[in-house]
Amino acid sequence: DISKLNKNIEKYNIELSYNPFDEISIKDTMNMYKKRIKLKTMYEEMFSDTVIEYHNALCDVECTAKCYMVMNV
């Protein structure tokens, strides 16, 4: 989440001479899905499957990647 990274950069007084996110193409899965919902809900709606370990970083990445791959076809 770019906004959280930016908040931490500011919080910890990290000085950058450039914006590291300028060169990155960012695709937001929630914007792609056209709804502002929780990842767990989006995953369950798309795959009719339950996420057991949500709020686990690895599970979040796997669910996001799976949703992205379907939407980016």
Side-chain angles (χ1 to χ4, degrees):
D1 185 325
I2 300 299
S3 65
K4 289 184 182 178
L5 289 171
N6 282 327
K7 285 178 186 175
N8 280 331
I9 288 170
E10 186 177 310
K11 177 181 177 180
Y12 294 107
N13 296 318
I14 298 170
E15 293 186 29
L16 300 173
S17 59
Y18 65 98
N19 184 342
F21 309 114
D22 279 347
E23 303 288 322
I24 298 172
S25 173
I26 299 170
K27 294 186 179 181
D28 185 336
T29 52
M30 279 194 228
N31 288 338
M32 293 169 73
Y33 195 59
K34 309 287 188 217
K35 285 186 187 177
R36 298 295 301 171
I37 59 174
K38 294 181 179 183
L39 173 60
K40 175 184 184 294
T41 305
M42 179 171 61
Y43 183 89
E44 290 173 353
E45 285 181 9
M46 290 181 72
F47 299 103
S48 300
D49 194 10
T50 303
V51 178
I52 296 170
E53 293 187 56
Y54 63 97
H55 291 297
N56 167 301
L58 181 58
C59 182
D60 287 354
V61 169
E62 290 171 346
C63 288
T64 301
K66 192 171 177 182
C67 291
Y68 173 80
M69 296 305 281
V70 168
M71 290 185 289
N72 199 45
V73 173

